[in-house]
Amino acid sequence: MNINISPVPKFVLVRGSRGLADLFLITGIAILVIGGLLYYSWQRGLIRIIPPIKTTSPPTLSPIRPCNSSDLQAEPVIWDGAGGSLVGFASLTNISSTPCQLEGYPEIQLRSPQGKIVEFNLGHYSEEYIQPKSIHLNPNQQVRLELTQRNNCLKEPDSYSILFFLPDDPNSILTETTSHGARCDNPDGSIVISVGPFYNEVSPTPFPRRTCPESWEEYIPPTLPYGPQPAKKEYITIGDGNKYPPEWFDLEWIKANCQVNVPQIIK
Protein backbone atom coordinates (compact mmCIF):
# COMPACT_ATOMS: atom_id res chain seq x y z
CA MET A 1 0.00 0.00 0.00
CA ASN A 2 1.35 3.32 -1.05
CA ILE A 3 0.75 6.40 1.19
CA ASN A 4 1.52 9.80 -0.33
CA ILE A 5 2.45 12.24 2.50
CA SER A 6 3.32 15.86 1.72
CA PRO A 7 6.45 17.15 3.42
CA VAL A 8 5.48 18.73 6.74
CA PRO A 9 8.07 21.52 6.65
CA LYS A 10 6.68 22.91 3.35
CA PHE A 11 3.10 22.97 4.70
CA VAL A 12 4.12 24.70 7.94
CA LEU A 13 6.15 27.36 6.16
CA VAL A 14 3.30 28.31 3.83
CA ARG A 15 0.74 28.54 6.64
CA GLY A 16 3.10 30.44 8.94
CA SER A 17 3.94 33.03 6.28
CA ARG A 18 0.28 33.75 5.59
CA GLY A 19 -0.55 34.19 9.29
CA LEU A 20 2.37 36.61 9.76
CA ALA A 21 1.22 38.66 6.76
CA ASP A 22 -2.30 38.85 8.21
CA LEU A 23 -0.85 40.04 11.55
CA PHE A 24 1.17 42.78 9.87
CA LEU A 25 -1.91 43.85 7.87
CA ILE A 26 -4.12 44.09 10.97
CA THR A 27 -1.42 45.96 12.92
CA GLY A 28 -0.96 48.44 10.08
CA ILE A 29 -4.69 49.13 9.83
CA ALA A 30 -4.87 49.67 13.61
CA ILE A 31 -1.96 52.12 13.53
CA LEU A 32 -3.58 54.06 10.70
CA VAL A 33 -6.93 54.21 12.52
CA ILE A 34 -5.37 55.29 15.83
CA GLY A 35 -3.13 57.81 14.09
CA GLY A 36 -6.11 59.24 12.23
CA LEU A 37 -8.10 59.59 15.44
CA LEU A 38 -5.20 61.30 17.21
CA TYR A 39 -4.66 63.68 14.29
CA TYR A 40 -8.40 64.49 14.18
CA SER A 41 -8.47 65.11 17.94
CA TRP A 42 -5.37 67.31 17.77
CA GLN A 43 -6.87 69.37 14.94
CA ARG A 44 -10.09 69.83 16.91
CA GLY A 45 -8.20 70.85 20.07
CA LEU A 46 -9.25 67.75 21.96
CA ILE A 47 -5.62 66.86 22.59
CA ARG A 48 -2.94 69.35 23.67
CA ILE A 49 0.73 68.74 23.80
CA ILE A 50 2.05 70.02 27.14
CA PRO A 51 5.78 70.66 27.28
CA PRO A 52 7.59 69.11 30.22
CA ILE A 53 7.82 71.30 33.34
CA LYS A 54 11.34 72.25 34.22
CA THR A 55 12.06 72.03 37.93
CA THR A 56 14.72 74.19 39.49
CA SER A 57 16.07 74.11 43.00
CA PRO A 58 15.40 77.24 45.12
CA PRO A 59 18.38 79.58 45.27
CA THR A 60 20.56 79.34 48.34
CA LEU A 61 20.43 82.60 50.32
CA SER A 62 23.78 83.85 51.48
CA PRO A 63 23.94 84.97 55.12
CA ILE A 64 23.88 88.75 55.57
CA ARG A 65 27.13 90.15 56.84
CA PRO A 66 27.30 92.11 60.12
CA CYS A 67 27.38 95.89 59.80
CA ASN A 68 30.72 97.64 60.22
CA SER A 69 31.10 101.13 61.61
CA SER A 70 32.24 102.30 58.15
CA ASP A 71 28.82 101.20 56.77
CA LEU A 72 26.88 103.50 59.10
CA GLN A 73 26.58 107.26 59.02
CA ALA A 74 25.12 108.87 62.13
CA GLU A 75 22.97 111.96 62.48
CA PRO A 76 23.56 114.22 65.51
CA VAL A 77 21.98 113.05 68.77
CA ILE A 78 18.85 115.06 69.66
CA TRP A 79 18.27 115.59 73.38
CA ASP A 80 15.02 116.26 75.20
CA GLY A 81 13.56 115.39 78.55
CA ALA A 82 11.55 116.23 81.63
CA GLY A 83 11.63 115.57 85.35
CA GLY A 84 15.40 115.57 85.66
CA SER A 85 16.10 112.97 82.94
CA LEU A 86 17.47 113.60 79.48
CA VAL A 87 16.53 111.42 76.52
CA GLY A 88 18.69 111.29 73.40
CA PHE A 89 17.79 109.94 69.95
CA ALA A 90 20.14 109.15 67.08
CA SER A 91 19.73 107.67 63.59
CA LEU A 92 22.23 105.56 61.66
CA THR A 93 22.02 105.15 57.87
CA ASN A 94 23.54 102.28 55.89
CA ILE A 95 25.64 104.17 53.34
CA SER A 96 27.18 101.02 51.84
CA SER A 97 26.00 99.37 48.63
CA THR A 98 25.02 96.05 50.28
CA PRO A 99 22.70 94.98 53.13
CA CYS A 100 24.10 94.30 56.58
CA GLN A 101 22.83 93.01 59.91
CA LEU A 102 22.56 94.70 63.33
CA GLU A 103 21.52 93.04 66.56
CA GLY A 104 21.48 93.80 70.28
CA TYR A 105 22.53 96.86 72.23
CA PRO A 106 25.23 99.36 71.30
CA GLU A 107 28.13 99.74 73.69
CA ILE A 108 28.38 103.06 75.56
CA GLN A 109 31.37 104.95 76.97
CA LEU A 110 31.53 108.20 78.93
CA ARG A 111 34.81 110.08 78.46
CA SER A 112 36.30 113.11 80.15
CA PRO A 113 37.68 116.11 78.23
CA GLN A 114 41.10 114.45 78.55
CA GLY A 115 39.80 111.27 76.92
CA LYS A 116 39.70 109.16 80.09
CA ILE A 117 36.86 106.68 80.58
CA VAL A 118 34.43 107.75 83.34
CA GLU A 119 32.55 105.11 85.31
CA PHE A 120 28.75 105.15 85.32
CA ASN A 121 25.85 102.77 85.88
CA LEU A 122 24.68 101.27 82.57
CA GLY A 123 21.12 100.09 82.09
CA HIS A 124 19.23 98.49 79.20
CA TYR A 125 15.65 99.14 78.23
CA SER A 126 13.50 96.07 78.61
CA GLU A 127 10.12 97.27 77.41
CA GLU A 128 8.30 95.03 74.96
CA TYR A 129 8.32 97.44 72.03
CA ILE A 130 12.11 97.72 71.95
CA GLN A 131 13.25 94.20 72.77
CA PRO A 132 16.51 93.32 71.00
CA LYS A 133 16.03 91.72 67.63
CA SER A 134 18.02 91.19 64.46
CA ILE A 135 17.65 94.01 61.93
CA HIS A 136 18.21 93.61 58.19
CA LEU A 137 19.51 97.02 57.13
CA ASN A 138 19.30 97.66 53.38
CA PRO A 139 21.33 100.40 51.65
CA ASN A 140 20.02 103.89 52.56
CA GLN A 141 17.83 102.40 55.31
CA GLN A 142 17.95 103.86 58.83
CA VAL A 143 18.22 102.28 62.25
CA ARG A 144 17.63 104.19 65.49
CA LEU A 145 19.17 104.45 68.95
CA GLU A 146 17.71 105.79 72.18
CA LEU A 147 19.32 106.51 75.56
CA THR A 148 18.52 108.33 78.79
CA GLN A 149 20.77 109.79 81.47
CA ARG A 150 20.01 110.69 85.07
CA ASN A 151 21.86 112.04 88.08
CA ASN A 152 24.59 113.78 86.10
CA CYS A 153 26.60 115.48 88.87
CA LEU A 154 29.72 116.12 86.80
CA LYS A 155 31.22 119.58 86.82
CA GLU A 156 30.86 121.08 83.36
CA PRO A 157 28.98 118.02 82.02
CA ASP A 158 28.82 119.48 78.51
CA SER A 159 32.57 118.97 78.18
CA TYR A 160 32.17 115.18 78.64
CA SER A 161 31.36 112.89 75.72
CA ILE A 162 29.11 109.85 75.33
CA LEU A 163 30.31 107.48 72.61
CA PHE A 164 28.35 104.70 70.87
CA PHE A 165 30.07 101.52 69.61
CA LEU A 166 28.97 98.37 67.85
CA PRO A 167 28.42 95.45 70.25
CA ASP A 168 31.69 93.80 71.38
CA ASP A 169 33.80 96.13 69.24
CA PRO A 170 35.36 99.01 71.25
CA ASN A 171 37.11 100.35 68.13
CA SER A 172 33.93 100.85 66.08
CA ILE A 173 32.76 104.35 67.03
CA LEU A 174 29.30 104.99 65.59
CA THR A 175 28.64 108.48 66.91
CA GLU A 176 29.54 110.81 69.75
CA THR A 177 27.55 113.39 71.71
CA THR A 178 28.02 115.63 74.72
CA SER A 179 26.70 114.32 78.02
CA HIS A 180 24.70 117.49 78.83
CA GLY A 181 23.45 118.11 82.34
CA ALA A 182 20.70 115.87 83.61
CA ARG A 183 19.57 116.91 87.09
CA CYS A 184 21.90 115.93 89.93
CA ASP A 185 19.67 114.08 92.41
CA ASN A 186 22.43 112.38 94.43
CA PRO A 187 25.89 113.97 94.40
CA ASP A 188 27.39 110.83 95.97
CA GLY A 189 25.79 108.52 93.41
CA SER A 190 26.90 107.50 89.95
CA ILE A 191 25.60 108.79 86.64
CA VAL A 192 22.93 106.47 85.23
CA ILE A 193 22.85 105.98 81.45
CA SER A 194 20.31 103.57 79.96
CA VAL A 195 20.39 102.54 76.32
CA GLY A 196 17.91 100.73 74.10
CA PRO A 197 18.74 98.24 71.34
CA PHE A 198 18.98 99.02 67.65
CA TYR A 199 15.46 99.35 66.28
CA ASN A 200 13.77 100.51 63.08
CA GLU A 201 10.07 100.49 63.91
CA VAL A 202 7.85 103.44 63.17
CA SER A 203 7.30 103.74 66.93
CA PRO A 204 8.51 104.79 69.41
CA THR A 205 10.58 107.16 67.29
CA PRO A 206 9.22 109.04 65.47
CA PHE A 207 6.38 109.54 67.86
CA PRO A 208 3.82 108.69 69.09
CA ARG A 209 4.39 105.78 71.45
CA ARG A 210 1.63 103.35 72.28
CA THR A 211 2.39 102.04 75.74
CA CYS A 212 0.43 102.24 78.99
CA PRO A 213 2.13 104.60 81.44
CA GLU A 214 2.51 104.12 85.17
CA SER A 215 1.25 107.65 85.72
CA TRP A 216 0.20 110.75 83.82
CA GLU A 217 0.68 113.76 86.05
CA GLU A 218 0.60 117.51 86.01
CA TYR A 219 3.68 119.31 87.33
CA ILE A 220 3.26 122.68 89.02
CA PRO A 221 6.62 124.46 89.39
CA PRO A 222 7.26 126.51 92.54
CA THR A 223 6.21 130.14 92.43
CA LEU A 224 9.03 132.58 91.74
CA PRO A 225 9.37 135.69 93.89
CA TYR A 226 9.54 137.92 90.82
CA GLY A 227 9.43 137.86 87.05
CA PRO A 228 7.35 135.65 84.75
CA GLN A 229 5.95 132.59 86.45
CA PRO A 230 6.79 129.15 85.01
CA ALA A 231 4.00 127.39 83.19
CA LYS A 232 2.48 124.15 84.38
CA LYS A 233 3.91 121.01 82.79
CA GLU A 234 2.66 117.49 82.30
CA TYR A 235 4.73 114.37 82.20
CA ILE A 236 4.17 110.66 81.75
CA THR A 237 6.15 107.97 83.57
CA ILE A 238 6.64 104.49 82.13
CA GLY A 239 8.33 101.29 83.27
CA ASP A 240 11.89 102.62 83.22
CA GLY A 241 11.10 105.21 85.93
CA ASN A 242 11.75 108.20 83.66
CA LYS A 243 9.42 111.12 83.00
CA TYR A 244 8.51 111.98 79.40
CA PRO A 245 6.45 114.75 77.78
CA PRO A 246 2.91 113.66 76.82
CA GLU A 247 3.40 114.70 73.19
CA TRP A 248 5.69 111.69 72.79
CA PHE A 249 2.68 109.37 73.24
CA ASP A 250 -0.55 108.51 71.48
CA LEU A 251 -2.78 110.11 74.11
CA GLU A 252 -6.08 108.96 72.58
CA TRP A 253 -4.79 105.38 72.54
CA ILE A 254 -3.79 105.68 76.21
CA LYS A 255 -7.26 107.00 77.16
CA ALA A 256 -8.95 104.11 75.36
CA ASN A 257 -6.66 101.27 76.46
CA CYS A 258 -5.00 102.14 79.78
CA GLN A 259 -6.17 102.49 83.36
CA VAL A 260 -4.52 105.78 84.29
CA ASN A 261 -5.61 109.12 85.71
CA VAL A 262 -5.72 111.57 82.81
CA PRO A 263 -5.23 115.22 83.68
CA GLN A 264 -6.67 117.96 81.57
CA ILE A 265 -4.55 118.58 78.49
CA ILE A 266 -2.82 121.96 78.62
CA LYS A 267 -2.91 123.61 75.19
Side-chain angles (χ1 to χ4, degrees):
M1 180 177 59
N2 294 326
I3 300 176
N4 187 12
I5 301 176
S6 300
V8 175
K10 183 178 180 180
F11 174 79
V12 172
L13 287 174
V14 172
R15 186 175 182 180
S17 298
R18 186 176 179 180
L20 189 60
D22 293 342
L23 180 61
F24 281 134
L25 179 60
I26 295 172
T27 304
I29 294 172
I31 292 174
L32 289 175
V33 171
I34 294 173
L37 290 174
L38 291 175
Y39 179 77
Y40 175 82
S41 300
W42 177 71
Q43 288 290 336
R44 295 291 182 177
L46 301 176
I47 296 178
R48 291 184 300 168
I49 300 175
I50 301 176
I53 299 175
K54 296 181 178 180
T55 58
T56 57
S57 301
T60 302
L61 298 178
S62 301
I64 302 201
R65 63 181 181 83
C67 293
N68 299 314
S69 57
S70 59
D71 299 324
L72 304 172
Q73 179 176 316
E75 296 179 3
V77 176
I78 299 174
W79 289 97
D80 205 340
S85 299
L86 286 178
V87 184
F89 301 97
S91 296
L92 303 170
T93 303
N94 181 7
I95 58 174
S96 73
S97 59
T98 58
C100 63
Q101 197 89 356
L102 277 174
E103 186 172 359
Y105 293 87
E107 300 289 343
I108 299 291
Q109 281 188 6
L110 178 62
R111 293 185 182 179
S112 70
Q114 294 77 29
K116 294 183 179 180
I117 297 176
V118 180
E119 292 185 359
F120 64 93
N121 287 336
L122 176 64
H124 286 162
Y125 294 155
S126 58
E127 295 175 5
E128 181 180 357
Y129 62 85
I130 47 176
Q131 283 290 338
K133 64 180 182 180
S134 181
I135 295 177
H136 179 119
L137 198 61
N138 289 317
N140 299 317
Q141 188 177 2
Q142 283 190 336
V143 67
R144 298 181 184 275
L145 300 174
E146 179 180 344
L147 79 157
T148 63
Q149 58 167 316
R150 302 192 303 276
N151 196 44
N152 191 336
C153 299
L154 295 170
K155 294 181 180 180
E156 299 180 355
D158 288 357
S159 63
Y160 288 76
S161 298
I162 299 176
L163 288 81
F164 294 81
F165 302 84
L166 288 173
D168 304 319
D169 188 354
N171 297 316
S172 60
I173 298 178
L174 297 175
T175 188
E176 180 178 351
T177 183
T178 56
S179 67
H180 291 286
R183 187 176 65 195
C184 178
D185 295 318
N186 180 12
D188 297 326
S190 298
I191 301 172
V192 178
I193 299 178
S194 300
V195 64
F198 300 103
Y199 67 96
N200 61 353
E201 296 94 339
V202 174
S203 293
T205 307
F207 307 117
R209 294 183 179 184
R210 285 187 172 184
T211 184
C212 286
E214 291 185 345
S215 64
W216 183 354
E217 302 176 14
E218 185 178 77
Y219 172 65
I220 304 176
T223 303
L224 298 178
Y226 57 86
Q229 299 300 307
K232 296 179 181 180
K233 292 184 178 180
E234 291 183 54
Y235 61 84
I236 286 177
T237 60
I238 55 177
D240 60 3
N242 292 319
K243 296 178 173 62
Y244 300 95
E247 56 266 25
W248 290 11
F249 296 81
D250 187 336
L251 302 182
E252 296 303 320
W253 184 91
I254 291 176
K255 292 177 185 178
N257 295 277
C258 305
Q259 298 295 326
V260 62
N261 293 327
V262 179
Q264 182 179 358
I265 303 298
I266 299 175
K267 301 296 183 180

